[in-house]
Amino acid sequence: MSDSSRDTAEGAGWGADDPGTYRQLMPTEVRRISWLDPRMLWAARNGVLASWFGDPTGRTRGRWVAQRAAAGAPADKVIRRSDPDRFSFMVIGDTGEGDDPQYAVVPGFLTVGQDTNFAVLASDVIYPVGGADDYAGKFFRPYRDYRAPIYAIPGNHDWYEDLGAFMRVFCGGAPPLPEKPAPRPFGRAWLRSLLWHRPRHDAGERLDRARALRGEPAQQAVQPGPYWAIDSGPVRIIGIDTGLLGTLDAEQGAWLREVARGPRPKILITGSPLYVDGGHHPCPIEGGGTVDEIVRDPAHRFVAAIGGDIHNYQRYPVPLADGRTLQYVVAGGGGAFMHATHTIPRVAVGGVTEADFRCYPLRGDSLAFYSRLYGRRLRLRRLFRITEAEATAVIAERLGIAPTRGPGGPVRITRRIRLVATLLGTARRPDRGARFRLPVRKIYTSLFSPSSATYSPPFFKCFLRLDVSPESVRLRCFAATGNRAQELDPPVEDEVVIPLT
């Protein structure tokens, strides 16, 4: 087994001069995404409009679900597979940017997943707006050599064109929804409709040709809608659709309460993680209650809740009052730009301490990554650039923790290093406030999204493999750096065995 980032800097991908073969998989022309491009931001405006003028996704989702039911989808939305009691599946989240970081994940994903029964894409299948014409290079091409079915739950970006392309690809070629009557003039819905981004009329004309890239019978999967359950072996896997704003409509909430019943162990897959960045986000349901209340109920027997949306890996083993431990996992590192982990404060949430918490990339690697990015973007390399050993040391100092990876020698933490750590939003211990506060932790990734600048390793991407038996679920997080060594033998960054009995 190869070194992980917890073992050595080389295991994290630093210092390697042998890039992987992933670029051979990419199309010759790649339209790279930059969230600094005003045209990109304008196309992705629907989330902002929903927060200002009301979120229409619940009603739109209801129309999609009704259409699929009329077409013969099962009323309980349960996919009943014939997998044995021992089987494996993959989970990969926030994949679809279609550039180097996404394709860098593919070789390791195929190696680790070659004997698995199916895969689940957890949130944001296609950036920037879930468009049908992007599925060729951002879904069908990268995963054409994965020989098993792929199921998916949509993220907020898949909703930016009202989920039409997602439904066509994953839900049996669902036709477009009929036009709705125009809203009354001058109301909030009318204002929203004036500004709402919609797909082009000719969008998806090449979709049928793209489907041929994953055209083998063993690769086919048809799901009953944007949310579903899979009965496979001894477990039930439940995928929910949290729409544009990270909530559930009342109809989906009632369905979730129904499919959560019974003694079968369950795993939740969601587009909005319930524990993330050191905080608890229980996910409200329209009409009352939360998703986490359903997950925690001992009668429902959930053992894990896995969420996308945030582009890294995090795990919170939350102890419950009845003696169980629920594994809350963030798994959004499948291809989109890397969200920082060095901004995560020292963890103390839901009974989880820093000693229990796991993340990838490690906070020190995250800080070193961003220092290089900002030095390059601002042309201030001498000011911003800090080594991975220096970053690891200043993280340990600020959080009051032992270094996650030994520096390999003495490291002197200078004023410049501390300043860079502050400017890049590095967290502090909760009992140690900063001498001066900057709002950078909230805004720096918005100002300088790394997605348009990280085209060389290490990328710090990841994916999950879950091995299920009647006794347990073994969950492993594998790294993908873009380097050849990690392509050939993807390192395990985290592992936990979850008992089912």
Side-chain angles (χ1 to χ4, degrees):
M1 181 180 295
S2 62
D3 284 349
S4 75
S5 68
R6 291 179 171 269
D7 300 316
T8 64
E10 291 75 17
W14 297 114
D17 58 0
D18 186 14
T21 60
Y22 67 89
R23 284 183 176 160
Q24 299 173 16
L25 307 175
M26 297 175 64
T28 52
E29 293 186 10
V30 175
R31 182 191 175 199
R32 293 189 163 105
I33 290 176
S34 172
W35 296 107
L36 296 176
D37 185 343
R39 295 170 299 177
M40 197 77 69
L41 294 173
W42 177 244
R45 63 189 178 271
N46 285 359
V48 175
L49 295 176
S51 65
W52 287 354
F53 300 115
D55 183 2
T57 55
R59 291 186 295 275
T60 305
R61 184 187 296 115
R63 296 173 69 207
W64 281 120
V65 169
Q67 183 203 76
R68 299 309 302 143
D76 60 3
K77 302 170 186 61
V78 176
I79 302 163
R80 293 172 172 86
R81 293 181 50 87
S82 58
D83 300 312
D85 281 349
R86 298 179 185 274
F87 74 98
S88 303
F89 69 101
M90 306 291 284
V91 176
I92 184 169
D94 298 82
T95 53
E97 285 200 347
D99 50 16
D100 294 62
Q102 178 178 6
Y103 278 86
V105 179
V106 173
F109 177 85
L110 295 176
T111 297
V112 173
Q114 61 184 334
D115 62 340
T116 54
N117 297 68
F118 59 90
V120 177
L121 298 188
S123 179
D124 289 342
V125 179
I126 300 294
Y127 294 95
V129 295
D133 290 334
D134 287 331
Y135 268 86
K138 299 178 182 181
F139 173 70
F140 289 108
R141 185 184 183 98
Y143 309 118
R144 61 183 174 180
D145 292 326
Y146 180 68
R147 301 302 180 188
I150 297 178
Y151 304 95
I153 57 166
N156 57 311
H157 286 268
D158 300 305
W159 269 100
Y160 287 164
E161 290 191 351
D162 293 330
L163 210 64
F166 180 97
M167 296 296 294
R168 289 176 65 182
V169 170
F170 293 104
C171 302
L177 292 173
E179 289 288 333
K180 295 185 298 183
R184 288 191 306 174
F186 310 115
R188 295 174 70 203
W190 179 77
L191 289 171
R192 184 182 64 221
S193 68
L194 289 180
L195 299 171
W196 199 253
H197 170 80
R198 295 175 176 83
R200 301 189 325 271
H201 291 296
D202 62 346
E205 290 183 347
R206 298 187 299 274
L207 196 55
D208 288 340
R209 186 170 58 189
R211 286 181 191 275
L213 294 171
R214 280 187 50 84
E216 295 180 7
Q219 294 176 311
Q220 304 313 302
V222 176
Q223 58 192 58
Y227 57 91
W228 40 259
I230 297 174
D231 282 349
S232 183
V235 299
R236 171 169 284 185
I237 304 158
I238 299 175
I240 60 173
D241 169 18
T242 55
L244 283 171
L245 301 182
T247 62
L248 261 62
D249 62 275
E251 180 182 355
Q252 185 179 182
W255 168 85
L256 177 60
R257 291 184 176 96
E258 183 64 30
V259 296
R261 293 178 179 175
R264 195 171 194 155
K266 298 172 186 72
I267 299 169
L268 182 75
I269 310 287
T270 171
S272 298
L274 304 179
Y275 279 83
V276 62
D277 293 345
H280 181 213
H281 305 273
C283 188
I285 299 173
E286 180 187 20
T290 69
V291 169
D292 201 31
E293 289 173 356
I294 297 171
V295 168
R296 287 170 178 258
D297 188 330
H300 295 157
R301 293 203 63 196
F302 280 89
V303 298
I306 302 171
D309 188 52
I310 302 301
H311 307 165
N312 53 46
Y313 172 82
Q314 301 172 43
R315 181 169 64 83
Y316 301 81
V318 176
L320 303 182
D322 60 4
R324 293 177 300 140
T325 296
L326 254 172
Q327 299 291 339
Y328 291 85
V329 176
V330 179
F337 70 88
M338 188 263 282
H339 277 136
T341 57
H342 66 267
T343 59
I344 302 173
R346 180 168 171 164
V347 171
V349 61
V352 181
T353 67
E354 181 66 32
D356 307 317
F357 171 70
R358 294 291 183 272
C359 69
Y360 177 79
L362 301 179
R363 291 183 179 100
D365 290 329
S366 170
L367 178 57
F369 175 95
Y370 270 86
S371 77
R372 288 161 168 75
L373 170 67
Y374 277 72
R376 186 166 62 247
R377 283 280 182 89
L378 300 177
R379 299 184 180 180
L380 293 171
R381 286 180 171 85
R382 294 185 63 183
L383 170 63
F384 273 91
R385 186 183 178 93
I386 58 179
T387 68
E388 56 273 16
E390 292 167 339
T392 298
V394 75
I395 289 286
E397 177 188 79
R398 290 175 73 100
L399 294 184
I401 60 176
T404 311
R405 182 178 66 233
V411 175
R412 179 170 171 260
I413 304 176
T414 64
R415 289 183 178 179
R416 180 187 68 85
I417 292 171
R418 292 188 179 100
L419 174 63
V420 171
T422 298
L423 291 174
L424 295 183
T426 305
R428 300 182 71 91
R429 287 176 58 175
D431 58 343
R432 289 187 183 178
R435 293 179 185 175
F436 58 95
R437 295 186 180 275
L438 294 172
V440 290
R441 206 188 304 172
K442 296 292 185 184
I443 65 173
Y444 79 102
T445 49
S446 298
L447 286 175
F448 294 104
S449 162
S451 65
S452 61
T454 52
Y455 297 134
S456 59
F459 294 118
F460 298 106
K461 301 289 95 187
C462 58
F463 54 89
L464 307 184
R465 174 174 170 136
L466 289 85
D467 300 300
V468 180
S469 73
E471 299 79 30
S472 65
V473 175
R474 181 190 186 196
L475 183 153
R476 286 176 288 171
C477 172
F478 290 86
T481 67
N483 290 321
R484 177 76 169 156
Q486 285 84 31
E487 276 190 0
L488 295 173
D489 188 9
V492 177
E493 291 292 336
D494 187 36
E495 177 174 351
V496 62
V497 176
I498 307 168
L500 297 184
T501 57

